[in-house]
Amino acid sequence: CTEVVCASEDNVLSRMNSKKVKLSQVGIRCQFCVHLPHKQRGGRSSTFPSSMNRIYQSLTMMIRDHFETCPAMPSELKATYKDLRSN
């Protein structure tokens, strides 16, 4: 459900008002809504942890806050995700 990426100029510019992201900084993003314009993606669709120690926290926040509301996740996969979360 996720992929590892390096921050592009668009990533850096779209996050100017939030946490700073540096060009080529390693991040994690949702593979389903990556093709959507930034404003149409669900919250926490990508994260660029500031250190190795923050990778786990960043990923768990994405799992908790993004996948249930991702506008592009296939419905059958979303149903499986919700079922697994409820058990």
Side-chain angles (χ1 to χ4, degrees):
C1 294
T2 60
E3 53 190 20
V4 177
V5 297
C6 291
S8 66
E9 287 186 34
D10 286 341
N11 297 130
V12 173
L13 293 174
S14 69
R15 294 169 187 270
M16 291 300 283
N17 295 329
S18 62
K19 301 212 181 224
K20 297 290 184 190
V21 174
K22 297 177 183 159
L23 189 62
S24 299
Q25 182 175 338
V26 175
I28 305 162
R29 70 180 177 197
C30 172
Q31 70 180 25
F32 302 114
C33 63
V34 66
H35 66 282
L36 297 174
H38 183 70
K39 301 266 185 197
Q40 293 179 11
R41 299 177 200 163
R44 297 195 190 273
S45 65
S46 63
T47 180
F48 292 90
S50 57
S51 70
M52 294 280 286
N53 295 334
R54 310 264 314 163
I55 293 172
Y56 175 78
Q57 179 185 16
S58 297
L59 187 57
T60 57
M61 289 170 64
M62 179 185 279
I63 291 168
R64 183 189 69 214
D65 297 336
H66 177 72
F67 292 121
E68 195 163 331
T69 61
C70 178
M73 180 184 270
S75 56
E76 64 278 357
L77 192 57
K78 192 176 286 190
T80 300
Y81 168 79
K82 288 180 180 181
D83 185 50
L84 290 171
R85 290 253 339 184
S86 68
N87 290 328

